[in-house]
Amino acid sequence: MGLFTEQGFKATTIRGIATAAGVSPGLVQHHFGTKEELRQACDEYVLGYMREQAGLGVTGRNLEKPEFIENVHRTAPPLMKYLGRALVDGSPGAAAMFAELVNVTEEHLAGDENPEADHRARAVVLTAMKLGITVLHEHVSRALGSDVYAAPAALRVGKAQLDLFRPEFLGRELFEQARKGLAKVEGER
Amino acid sequence: MGLFTEQGFKATTIRGIATAAGVSPGLVQHHFGTKEELRQACDEYVLGYMREQAGLGVTGRNLEKPEFIENVHRTAPPLMKYLGRALVDGSPGAAAMFAELVNVTEEHLAGDENPEADHRARAVVLTAMKLGITVLHEHVSRALGSDVYAAPAALRVGKAQLDLFRPEFLGRELFEQARKGLAKVEGER
DNA sequence: TGGCTTCCAATACAAGCGTATAAATCGTAG
DNA sequence: CTACGATTTATACGCTTGTATTGGAAGCCA
């Protein structure tokens, strides 16, 4: 997954993967079959993880538990980077995930707004822009001078997003929650 | 450039380029040397075009002339798509362009705001999100049901962006100008 | 312990890659 | 008309790629 993330699917070789894993190329083939099947396995792992964590966060009411947040912040970044690369690498699974995210966002938006607004377009643009930071994380990090997925830069990016967007679209209460969360993290540093 | 855009640098072959151009592979080599030099030539063409058009638009006061707008809307999309791909394909030129865009945006933001705000982070996030739509144009188009670079979908995306962002960050006057421009285009349809 | 499946590595192979080289064709100035 | 430089093609070479195949090592169950 690391090599797919850094180099893309086509530029990554099975031999490179095997070397990085400290095994023989034949073993990779034995476990995953073809290179395309290996990509699918990676996709399923990442998308499964994200759906799982999202489920745990929302339905499990874990969003405020510090250990849950901490765990996500430690494990999620490489998977987010993988998703970002997969989105531009023509991965079918990533395309499906994008569509899912749009639908979730659209439902959220449709709740408290005038019915004539183009919620669909807003949801699409919102998720594309949110994922844009992930996809371009390398450039964002360079422009900021430090890794976006490390605490300091992530804080700056989060606050900047809160500043740039109209508060209505997060939902007033969610917006305030996010603001408090960021302030709390900032206080701990 | 079309092949680089659609398949990425590594997956694109010189033989494929030659076939698409209706010439022999050797000719491509004769004109551009190596594959890497060909990429640089593409980068320079695209970045040169964008800097040129941006200069014409801003300093030449062409931003309101319909023929200028129309010309940009007809020629820019494939180049934007190329830039989007180059940004995640590790192109040095594209990285430089991203840094430039951030700097321009930062200067714009620094003008009319309280000095304690993190203009740098806001500029980075703003350009990353704006380019995010370009990079993910394929997914955006699919979610919207029509090509983002065709008039109807572009209109929806433009309006959605205007809705989502706080007006202050475009500058009040620029915001109103954009709103009027979109309304005008909408009226013509 | 014997036999079987699973795991892993080594080798082989055909295809495709970037690129070097040489030959052929073309346009044109003298 | 000719000769020369610029274009364009054809061919070839070395390398890497994904994958098929083979064979041995390790684990497991009766």
Side-chain angles (χ1 to χ4, degrees):
Chain A
M1 284 175 45
L3 292 177
F4 280 157
T5 302
E6 292 167 19
Q7 310 174 343
F9 178 72
K10 190 61 193 291
T12 301
T13 70
I14 293 194
R15 284 171 175 82
I17 294 171
T19 301
V23 297
S24 74
L27 185 59
V28 178
Q29 186 187 19
H30 175 259
H31 277 291
F32 296 97
T34 70
K35 192 182 175 185
E36 183 58 39
E37 286 175 302
L38 174 56
R39 190 236 288 262
Q40 289 177 19
C42 292
D43 282 6
E44 285 172 20
Y45 176 80
V46 171
L47 302 186
Y49 171 89
M50 289 188 172
R51 293 196 178 96
E52 186 186 52
Q53 294 299 321
L56 286 176
V58 173
T59 72
R61 301 290 176 201
N62 292 105
L63 279 177
E64 295 154 14
K65 298 183 180 174
E67 71 268 21
F68 177 80
I69 301 292
E70 200 275 334
N71 181 268
V72 167
H73 274 67
R74 196 180 59 250
T75 57
L79 305 186
M80 290 298 291
K81 292 180 188 177
Y82 179 89
L83 175 64
R85 175 60 100 157
L87 276 170
V88 287
D89 238 24
S91 157
M97 165 114 285
F98 183 87
E100 273 184 48
L101 287 174
V102 169
N103 289 337
V104 169
T105 307
E106 188 179 5
E107 289 175 17
H108 174 74
L109 252 48
D112 44 8
E113 195 78 19
N114 60 333
E116 54 189 309
D118 191 351
H119 292 135
R120 182 70 184 174
R122 288 179 182 177
V124 171
V125 168
L126 205 48
T127 67
M129 292 197 299
K130 193 93 178 56
L131 285 173
I133 295 178
T134 299
V135 177
L136 300 174
H137 68 93
E138 201 174 320
H139 301 283
V140 173
S141 295
R142 194 181 311 114
L144 246 37
S146 57
D147 186 10
V148 212
Y149 291 104
L155 197 68
R156 291 177 70 190
V157 169
K159 290 179 71 173
Q161 281 180 284
L162 248 40
D163 291 340
L164 289 171
F165 282 119
R166 297 174 114 123
E168 306 95 86
F169 298 111
L170 292 171
R172 283 287 180 187
E173 74 291 352
L174 222 151
F175 180 81
E176 277 310 313
Q177 185 178 335
R179 176 169 291 283
K180 282 177 186 169
L182 281 178
K184 187 177 173 186
V185 175
E186 195 176 18
E188 290 173 358
R189 291 192 63 256
Chain B
M1 283 175 44
L3 292 177
F4 280 157
T5 302
E6 293 167 18
Q7 311 175 343
F9 178 71
K10 189 62 194 292
T12 300
T13 70
I14 292 193
R15 285 170 173 83
I17 294 171
T19 301
V23 297
S24 73
L27 186 59
V28 178
Q29 185 187 19
H30 176 259
H31 277 291
F32 296 98
T34 71
K35 192 182 175 185
E36 182 58 39
E37 285 176 302
L38 174 56
R39 189 234 289 262
Q40 289 178 19
C42 291
D43 282 6
E44 284 172 21
Y45 175 79
V46 170
L47 302 186
Y49 170 90
M50 290 188 171
R51 293 195 180 97
E52 185 187 54
Q53 294 299 320
L56 286 176
V58 174
T59 72
R61 300 291 176 201
N62 291 106
L63 279 177
E64 295 154 15
K65 298 183 181 177
E67 71 268 19
F68 177 79
I69 301 292
E70 200 275 334
N71 181 266
V72 166
H73 274 66
R74 197 181 58 249
T75 56
L79 306 186
M80 289 299 290
K81 293 179 188 176
Y82 179 89
L83 176 64
R85 176 59 101 156
L87 277 170
V88 286
D89 237 26
S91 156
M97 166 113 286
F98 182 88
E100 273 185 46
L101 287 174
V102 169
N103 289 336
V104 170
T105 307
E106 187 179 7
E107 288 175 17
H108 173 74
L109 254 47
D112 43 7
E113 195 77 19
N114 60 333
E116 54 189 309
D118 190 351
H119 291 136
R120 181 70 184 174
R122 288 179 182 179
V124 171
V125 169
L126 205 49
T127 67
M129 293 198 298
K130 193 93 178 59
L131 285 173
I133 295 178
T134 299
V135 177
L136 300 174
H137 68 92
E138 201 173 320
H139 301 283
V140 173
S141 296
R142 194 181 310 115
L144 246 38
S146 57
D147 186 11
V148 211
Y149 291 103
L155 197 67
R156 292 177 70 190
V157 169
K159 289 179 71 173
Q161 281 180 283
L162 247 40
D163 292 340
L164 290 171
F165 282 118
R166 297 174 114 122
E168 305 96 85
F169 298 111
L170 292 170
R172 283 286 181 185
E173 75 291 350
L174 221 151
F175 180 81
E176 277 309 315
Q177 185 177 335
R179 176 169 290 285
K180 283 176 185 170
L182 280 179
K184 188 177 173 186
V185 175
E186 195 176 18
E188 290 174 357
R189 292 193 64 252

